[in-house]
Amino acid sequence: MKRQLLSGNESIAMGAAHAGIRLAAAYPGTPSTEILEAVARLPQIYTEWSSNEAVAVEVGLGASYAGIRALVSMKHVGLNVAADAFMSAATTGVRGGLVIVSADDPGIHSSQNEQDSRNYARLGKVPCLEPSNSQEAYNFTRAAFQISEDFDTPVLLRPTTRVCHSKSVVETKETISNDAKATFKHDHGKLVMLPGAARERGPKLTERLKKLAEYAETSPLNTVISGSTKLGIITSGISFHYAREIFPEASYLKLGISYPLPIKLINQFSQQVEKIVVIEELEGFLELHIKAMGLSVHGKDYFPIEGEFSPDVVSAAAIRAGLLDVQPHKSVAPASSLAKRPPLLCPGCPHSGIFFTLSTLGHRSTLPGKITRTPKLTICGDIGCYTLGAYPPLSAIDTCGCMGAGISHAAGMTKAGLEEKPLAVIGDSTFMHSGINGLLNAVYNQSNICILILDNSTTAMTGHQGHPGSGASSAGQPVTKISIEELVRGAGVRQVTVVDAFNLKSIRAALKQSMDSPELEVIIIHGDCPTLTRKRGKPRQINTRCDDCGACLLIGCSAIQRDGSSIIIDQSVCVGEYCTLCQQICPKDAITDLESTV
C-alpha cells in the first residue's frame, strides 16, 4: 500500500488506472479537466480529448462493448450534451466496466449554471456514487468499475468542485490486471436497440435497479456513524465534512451511493434518532426520496438550495433553523491587501483586437468625455475565454447560453426577421465541440449571418487541451490537424475570409465586407494564445506624445493601466511585437518599443 498526496481529480484518475482501465475519454471543463490530464500521464492507457461529451461517452461505451474497462469524464453541463449517449449506455448496459464522471459545480465558480447530476442517475436508472474526499474518490472509482460489471450498468460518479480540487493523503492499492484482449460478442438483444429489443430491456433495467437498491443496503460505501440520538444527519459528498464540523456530536448516515437509496438502512437510522436533518448541496435530491418513504425530515427548509456549502453556510443556516444557538465556526476572511483581479482577457490575447473592433463598430465603448451612443450590432457569443469580451470596456457580446449555441442564436434572430445582420462569435474548440452543427444548419437553411471563428489552436480556458483543430493529442503529441477553413468550405460556405488577429485594419475591413454581404459569411481570425506559446517580445512603452485620451484603455488589455493621472504599460506582462494592438489604435503614435526614442 502506497501513500500519496492527491487531489480528488488525480485520485479518480489513479483509482481508474488501478482498476485496470485501458481507455479514458473526456471533454475539458472545470472542475473535471485534470482527471484526463492525470490519466494521460500513464502511457499504458489510451486517452483522448473527444470532440464533445457525447462522443466521449460513445467512445467509452465502444471500449466497454469490447470488454475493456473505460473511464469518461466531463463537467455537469457536459452531461446535458452527452444525455442521449448516457441514456443509451444505461439501456444497453456494459461489458467492460464503464464509469462516467460528471463533476458538479455548486456555486458556479466556472460554469453557466448549477445542475445536480444525481437527477440523471435516476433518469437512467443507474447507480450514483458521491465521494467526499480524495481517499473516497480513489476507493469509490475502483468500486464503481466492479459495480458496473456486477450489475451490467454504467456508473455515474459525481464529485463536486471542492472534492475535485482539494488535496489529501490517499492510500492506494495494487493495480488490477488489464491485459484482457478486446473482443466483441454479438448480441442484438442487448446492443441493438430496435424497438422490440428496447422494450425487452425495460423490465431488465427495473430489475437491475432493485438489485442495486439491495446492494446499497449493505454496501460499505454507505456508512453509519453513531453519536447523539437527539440529531441524526443524512448526507453525502463534501456536505458530510461541513456537517461534521458544525455538528460533531450528531449521528450520521453518510450515503456514498446516493442513488438508489438504501430504504431499510434509512428506516433503521431514522428509528435511532429523535430528529432527522438532510444536509446536501444543490437540490433536495436525498430529501425528496426520503420524504417519499413517509419519513419526516428537514432539509431545504433549513439549508440553501443554491450555491456551494461551507462550514459557515451550514452553521448560519443551522442557527436560523434553531439547531444551533451560536456559530461554532468562522472562516478567516481573505486578506484585504490582496490585489483586485477583474475578469479581463490576457495581455497579448488574440481576441482583444476583434472585440475592440466590434466594440467600436457597434458603439459599445467611447472615449472619456465623449457622448455615449445607442449600441449597434447584435453579437451572439459562446462558451470560452472569449466570453470575457462581454465585460467592459469591450462589452461586445449580447448572448451566451451553452456550448455551440451562438451560431444558432444568430440564425434564429435572422429567421425571426431581425433587420440587421447578426454576428456569432465562437472559439475554435467550441466550434469543433458543437458549433459545427449550428454552421451546418445555417448553411442548409440559408441563414444570412456572419460567423467569427476565433482560432487560437487550443482549448485555452481550461488549460490548453487539444481538439481536432489543434494538431495535438491528449498527451501533447502531434496528430492530424483538421483545417477549420477547409472544413467550413466543405460545409458549403462560399464566403470565407482568414485574417490575422493582430492586424486591426484587416479585421475591420473583413467585418465591414461581411456585414454588407447578403450571404452567410465566415471570418476565421487566427492568433496564437500567448499563455500557450509564451512568446515575449520587446515590451511597449508610452512616450511623451501621450495626451491621456484613453483610447488604448478601450482595448481591455490588462497590461495597460491608469496610474494616477498617467497611463502606463506593465512591461512585465506586455508581449511587445507579438501583439502591438495598443500601438495600432493610439492616435498620437505615443506607444513604441523600449528602444525607440520620442
Side-chain angles (χ1 to χ4, degrees):
M1 190 171 290
K2 188 177 179 181
R3 290 166 61 86
Q4 300 183 59
L5 182 63
L6 299 174
S7 70
N9 281 344
E10 291 169 331
S11 300
I12 291 171
M14 189 69 73
H18 290 180
I21 65 165
R22 297 249 296 278
L23 180 146
Y27 187 82
T30 305
S32 69
T33 306
E34 297 83 2
I35 296 172
L36 189 87
E37 290 181 332
V39 180
R41 292 194 285 269
L42 306 173
Q44 71 274 22
I45 300 172
Y46 169 79
T47 60
E48 71 168 45
W49 292 117
S50 301
S51 55
N52 66 34
E53 295 84 354
V55 173
V57 171
E58 290 157 356
V59 169
L61 189 58
S64 171
Y65 286 165
I68 301 301
R69 287 185 170 185
L71 178 76
V72 179
S73 57
M74 64 198 70
K75 67 182 299 180
H76 63 292
V77 290
L79 193 52
N80 299 332
V81 178
D84 204 9
F86 174 80
M87 292 301 294
S88 294
T91 303
T92 65
V94 302
R95 286 270 168 68
L98 177 64
V99 174
I100 299 171
V101 183
S102 179
D104 282 1
D105 184 19
I108 316 182
H109 296 282
S110 183
S111 305
Q112 61 267 46
N113 59 39
E114 282 182 334
Q115 289 180 198
D116 196 321
S117 294
R118 294 176 295 182
N119 289 298
Y120 274 105
R122 181 176 181 275
L123 184 65
K125 296 185 176 68
V126 304
C128 178
L129 309 187
E130 286 192 72
S132 70
N133 56 29
S134 294
Q135 182 67 64
E136 288 190 352
Y138 176 83
N139 293 343
F140 284 20
T141 303
R142 283 184 63 122
F145 281 99
Q146 195 60 52
I147 293 171
S148 175
E149 292 176 356
D150 288 347
F151 293 91
D152 186 19
T153 177
V155 175
L156 185 66
L157 187 71
R158 184 223 184 204
T160 54
T161 302
R162 211 54 53 183
V163 175
C164 291
H165 290 165
S166 60
K167 286 195 173 188
S168 58
V169 174
V170 176
E171 292 187 349
T172 60
K173 301 177 182 177
E174 70 281 0
T175 300
I176 297 172
S177 174
N178 65 347
D179 56 359
K181 183 180 179 181
T183 57
F184 182 75
K185 181 181 178 182
H186 298 271
D187 187 346
H188 280 211
K190 175 177 171 60
L191 302 181
V192 184
M193 287 301 98
L194 292 168
R199 279 192 288 272
E200 291 187 5
R201 288 295 296 174
K204 293 181 179 178
L205 301 190
T206 302
E207 184 63 25
R208 180 179 77 189
L209 194 59
K210 289 181 181 177
K211 292 179 179 177
L212 283 164
E214 292 172 3
Y215 168 78
E217 299 287 356
T218 57
S219 169
L221 303 182
N222 293 327
T223 55
V224 174
I225 302 170
S226 298
S228 169
T229 57
K230 292 185 177 180
L231 179 63
I233 295 176
I234 300 176
T235 185
S236 64
I238 192 68
S239 298
F240 165 72
H241 294 286
Y242 301 145
R244 283 281 279 179
E245 191 165 331
I246 303 304
F247 302 102
E249 306 298 328
S251 293
Y252 283 86
L253 172 54
K254 178 181 175 300
L255 296 172
I257 303 175
S258 54
Y259 189 81
L261 292 182
I263 293 175
K264 293 179 183 176
L265 184 60
I266 292 173
N267 274 316
Q268 291 170 2
F269 180 76
S270 68
Q271 293 169 8
Q272 296 168 7
V273 296
E274 296 176 16
K275 183 174 185 176
I276 305 174
V277 172
V278 180
I279 300 179
E280 54 185 328
E281 284 182 326
L282 298 180
E283 296 185 16
F285 182 85
L286 302 177
E287 178 188 352
L288 177 68
H289 291 85
I290 293 170
K291 282 182 174 176
M293 295 165 53
L295 296 177
S296 176
V297 301
H298 294 276
K300 292 305 173 185
D301 50 341
Y302 291 169
F303 299 95
I305 198 170
E306 299 168 336
E308 185 180 29
F309 279 11
S310 68
D312 286 347
V313 170
V314 173
S315 63
I319 291 171
R320 287 195 300 271
L323 298 174
L324 289 175
D325 295 327
V326 295
Q327 190 167 5
H329 177 279
K330 185 69 175 176
S331 296
V332 177
S336 58
S337 59
L338 291 176
K340 304 295 183 184
R341 189 173 179 272
L344 290 172
L345 295 169
C346 301
C349 177
H351 308 329
S352 297
I354 183 63
F355 282 125
F356 170 79
T357 308
L358 288 171
S359 182
T360 53
L361 288 174
H363 299 171
R364 303 304 178 98
S365 55
T366 58
L367 292 172
K370 300 291 185 182
I371 298 174
T372 302
R373 293 175 289 177
T374 302
K376 294 172 58 181
L377 302 182
T378 301
I379 306 167
C380 301
D382 227 298
I383 306 292
C385 54
Y386 48 91
T387 314
L388 296 173
Y391 290 106
L394 299 167
S395 305
I397 286 182
D398 297 314
T399 70
C400 179
C402 59
M403 293 284 282
I407 296 175
S408 299
H409 285 170
M413 290 177 183
T414 193
K415 292 299 181 185
L418 188 70
E419 292 184 1
E420 65 189 44
K421 188 175 185 177
L423 299 105
V425 181
I426 189 169
D428 51 326
S429 181
T430 311
F431 177 73
M432 290 293 184
H433 176 277
S434 47
I436 190 170
N437 298 323
L439 173 73
L440 296 174
N441 179 69
V443 172
Y444 174 62
N445 290 298
Q446 304 176 62
S447 299
N448 177 26
I449 61 176
C450 179
I451 301 170
L452 311 178
I453 301 176
L454 312 188
D455 179 14
N456 59 9
S457 298
T458 189
T459 312
M461 192 170 199
T462 49
H464 304 129
Q465 293 76 29
H467 62 74
S470 68
S473 72
S474 59
Q477 300 301 313
V479 294
T480 300
K481 179 176 181 176
I482 296 174
S483 166
I484 293 178
E485 181 181 357
E486 292 180 14
L487 190 62
V488 170
R489 292 188 188 279
V493 179
R494 291 177 293 185
Q495 301 297 327
V496 183
T497 307
V498 180
V499 297
D500 182 349
F502 297 103
N503 187 328
L504 289 178
K505 288 184 178 178
S506 296
I507 292 174
R508 194 176 188 86
L511 271 174
K512 284 191 169 184
Q513 186 277 326
S514 297
M515 294 300 296
D516 293 337
S517 166
E519 295 190 45
L520 168 65
E521 300 261 351
V522 173
I523 305 174
I524 301 170
I525 303 105
H526 180 73
D528 292 334
C529 174
T531 60
L532 176 64
T533 59
R534 301 293 180 189
K535 291 180 179 176
R536 292 297 306 276
K538 298 173 184 175
R540 306 293 101 167
Q541 66 173 349
I542 296 177
N543 61 34
T544 55
R545 294 196 187 99
C546 177
D547 62 357
D548 198 30
C549 72
C552 57
L553 295 173
L554 298 182
I555 206 157
C557 178
S558 53
I560 307 175
Q561 308 164 14
R562 183 175 290 283
D563 183 13
S565 59
S566 302
I567 297 174
I568 63 170
I569 294 178
D570 184 346
Q571 296 173 8
S572 66
V573 295
C574 176
V575 301
E577 61 265 32
Y578 294 110
C579 176
T580 75
L581 291 174
C582 59
Q583 196 170 350
Q584 294 177 52
I585 66 174
C586 178
K588 299 294 183 180
D589 291 329
I591 299 177
T592 61
D593 65 64
L594 283 175
E595 296 179 354
S596 300
T597 57
V598 177

